[in-house]
Amino acid sequence: AVDISCLRNETGYITYDPGYANTGSCSSSITFVDGENGILRYRGYPIEDLAAHATFIETAYLLIFGELPTRAERQELRDILSEQELLHEGLRHHFEGFPSNGHPMAILSAVVNALGPYHPDLLEITSKEDFLRAAAKIISKVRTIAAWAFRKAQGLPFVYPDPKLSYCRNFLHMMHSIPYKQFEPTDAQVRALSLFFLLHADHEQNCSCSTVRMVQSTEANLFASVSAGICALWGRLHGGANAGVIEMLQNIHDGDLSIQECLERVKKKEFRLMGFGHRIYKSFDPRAKILRQAAHDMLASTGNDDPLLDIALELADAAMSDEYFTERKLYPNVDFYSGIILRALGIPVNMFPVMFAIGRMPGWIAHWNEANMDEAGRIHRPRQIYTGNKPRKYIPLDSRL
Ligand code: ACO
């Protein structure tokens, strides 16, 4: 538990809430989370219903515009996404400037930000039409940028998007097709990818979403704001956690440490159990429940087995029957099982946070727009408790020891 206190700083009393664990920074009508009861709803719809019935693109529309699309609206969005899937040829040169082992998250954030200068008419958004165009550009192009960042790292030629393909199929085509042989994923793989994106599409005021809103509060443009969100997502405690999970499961698989040793070392605070714990969820993460089942189903449908899934299940069971974890209300979060799905789709570990960023894009865009429309919005500017030196006299260079 983190203490919230009212502390005196240099100019008066302020609320001191490290990590903003109990501080509301805005009001929002996009996503509802009840961490005690494991409830997550997008615009009022339970995540379980959306996961069972909706696609990622329908969910993106819901988050951004507030309602599920009609058939015509869904088709309109699909058409715009197909129209927008190519990158300006000038943007290709940006990829060439990166070293081949450059992290795809660095490439993603830089190139998404670089979309701004290629679309100067959308740097200031004043109408619903402009917003739809900007949102569709980002949601569509982010998948091309992500796939090209991967191809660049592999030293493979870029694969251009194919407008005949659906959003997820097109992404897998750009990732995995080779000259003269189009990659053809199974329906189960496409569905699993859509589900992965859908479950990551928004999660209210987490670090990356709050970053997007904070950058927006300076009246920064949409491209720059979501690019900042990508950077915030990168770290191991946020979007980098699922890569950490796979690394940990792989170490157990390779015999570097046993499940019990892993838990003992976590208890000694040598490292954290990746994919466990959540700032808000204190009984279970509903997304983890859905992904656990999805990982099973997908592996069963492809006839493949992943020994890491068995280790994950055993590790989760061992942790959830251990007082250390139950006392602290630590349960598997969305990242615990998502890496298994990504591995089965042939996505390498350094692309995991990129995949999260593609999924989270509709949420960031919806939050940016909500903040942009809020006439009472103010620049975000937290305070601090100053703990440095008292006033002192400047020491001339020759007198310094
Ligand atoms: N493994 C072991 N112990 C943990 C873990 C963990 N994964 N998470 C929290 N704890 C312990 C802390 O050591 C602390 O114990 P203490 O009271 O003995 O000091 C207690 O639980 C509370 O921890 P906090 O750091 O205060 O929890 P906070 O809410 O700040 O952190 C977070 C949440 C960052 C998600 C944390 O649980 C964590 O680091 N998890 C691992 C990384 C991870 O899976 N991140 C993905 C989050 S979901 C997402 O971004 C989509």
Side-chain angles (χ1 to χ4, degrees):
V2 177
D3 280 341
I4 302 172
S5 25
C6 198
L7 293 183
R8 191 172 167 78
N9 76 353
E10 64 277 27
T11 54
Y13 283 96
I14 61 166
T15 308
Y16 180 55
D17 181 12
Y20 315 120
N22 202 30
T23 295
S25 60
C26 62
S27 58
S28 176
S29 60
I30 301 169
T31 289
F32 173 80
V33 181
D34 173 351
E36 289 304 322
N37 296 303
I39 295 172
L40 168 61
R41 296 187 204 119
Y42 294 162
R43 301 281 191 186
Y45 292 101
I47 195 69
E48 292 80 5
D49 283 357
L50 292 169
H53 305 295
T55 63
F56 171 58
I57 291 306
E58 279 178 305
T59 306
Y61 188 101
L62 170 71
L63 285 167
I64 293 173
F65 298 110
E67 296 297 337
L68 285 166
T70 61
R71 200 174 284 277
E73 287 165 338
R74 190 181 62 175
Q75 193 53 48
E76 188 195 5
L77 180 59
R78 281 184 178 160
D79 291 346
I80 305 177
L81 290 176
S82 293
E83 264 166 35
Q84 295 297 337
E85 64 194 8
L86 288 167
L87 300 183
H88 190 289
E89 274 298 298
L91 276 170
R92 275 184 74 110
H93 302 302
H94 290 251
F95 289 88
E96 281 150 26
F98 286 100
S100 54
N101 58 354
H103 198 290
M105 273 305 250
I107 301 178
L108 188 75
S109 63
V111 180
V112 166
N113 197 11
L115 288 173
Y118 286 94
H119 303 288
D121 53 323
L122 295 175
L123 293 179
E124 207 169 314
I125 290 176
T126 48
S127 66
K128 195 177 166 202
E129 290 69 37
D130 281 355
F131 175 60
L132 172 62
R133 268 197 315 133
K137 268 187 202 301
I138 295 175
I139 291 174
S140 185
K141 292 180 195 302
V142 71
R143 129 196 95 147
T144 312
I145 298 168
W148 285 15
F150 165 74
R151 305 284 297 202
K152 160 84 191 170
Q154 302 289 309
L156 290 168
F158 296 147
V159 175
Y160 279 76
D162 178 345
K164 291 191 297 301
L165 300 178
S166 70
Y167 190 86
C168 292
R169 235 172 243 282
N170 209 349
F171 173 71
L172 291 171
H173 155 64
M174 286 189 276
M175 287 285 289
H176 297 316
S177 286
I178 50 173
Y180 311 114
K181 191 165 184 343
Q182 178 148 339
F183 177 74
E184 282 175 11
T186 63
D187 288 347
Q189 285 175 314
V190 173
R191 177 73 199 131
L193 181 59
S194 175
L195 184 65
F196 170 90
F197 286 151
L198 183 157
L199 291 174
H200 285 80
D202 192 40
H203 210 245
E204 56 121 293
Q205 296 312 309
N206 53 77
C207 182
S208 54
C209 174
S210 297
T211 300
V212 170
R213 291 188 82 123
M214 181 169 257
V215 175
Q216 185 288 327
S217 78
T218 68
E219 299 187 359
N221 67 72
L222 179 58
F223 305 102
S225 302
V226 297
S227 165
I230 294 170
C231 295
L233 184 70
W234 192 348
R236 277 173 72 85
L237 296 189
H238 193 9
N242 54 3
V245 174
I246 294 298
E247 203 179 293
M248 187 177 71
L249 298 176
Q250 192 70 54
N251 284 339
I252 296 173
H253 177 260
D254 296 346
D256 295 342
L257 85 167
S258 68
I259 287 181
Q260 270 321 314
E261 279 164 358
C262 174
L263 295 184
E264 289 314 312
R265 290 182 60 185
V266 167
K267 289 195 244 176
K268 285 190 206 145
K269 297 200 189 288
E270 287 178 31
F271 54 84
R272 287 192 167 201
L273 191 54
M274 298 312 286
F276 252 70
H278 199 274
R279 175 63 64 80
I280 308 291
Y281 292 121
K282 298 301 174 194
S283 58
F284 66 94
D285 178 340
R287 302 166 300 174
K289 257 192 177 176
I290 298 169
L291 277 183
R292 179 180 162 134
Q293 189 57 47
H296 262 301
D297 294 349
M298 190 169 105
L299 292 175
S301 79
T302 54
N304 292 330
D305 201 8
D306 185 343
L308 297 199
L309 178 59
D310 299 330
I311 296 173
L313 297 175
E314 212 182 309
L315 181 61
D317 286 348
M320 287 191 293
S321 40
D322 186 314
E323 248 181 29
Y324 180 92
F325 297 92
T326 50
E327 263 175 10
R328 288 170 178 76
K329 301 187 175 178
L330 300 172
Y331 298 93
N333 61 46
V334 66
D335 291 318
F336 196 71
Y337 303 105
S338 64
I340 308 277
I341 291 188
L342 295 179
R343 269 162 64 89
L345 293 170
I347 310 289
V349 168
N350 69 348
M351 281 289 288
F352 284 11
V354 169
M355 302 300 290
F356 190 155
I358 300 174
R360 185 54 58 88
M361 209 48 86
W364 288 336
I365 291 170
H367 281 276
W368 183 92
N369 190 48
E370 190 176 63
N372 193 44
M373 302 292 284
D374 180 3
E375 283 173 10
R378 300 175 78 192
I379 189 165
H380 287 211
R381 197 346 182 152
R383 303 302 307 277
Q384 65 165 17
I385 306 295
Y386 175 70
T387 58
N389 289 308
K390 295 264 183 289
R392 48 191 183 150
K393 267 214 156 90
Y394 179 78
I395 308 167
L397 187 58
D398 290 343
S399 315
R400 290 178 216 160
L401 293 174

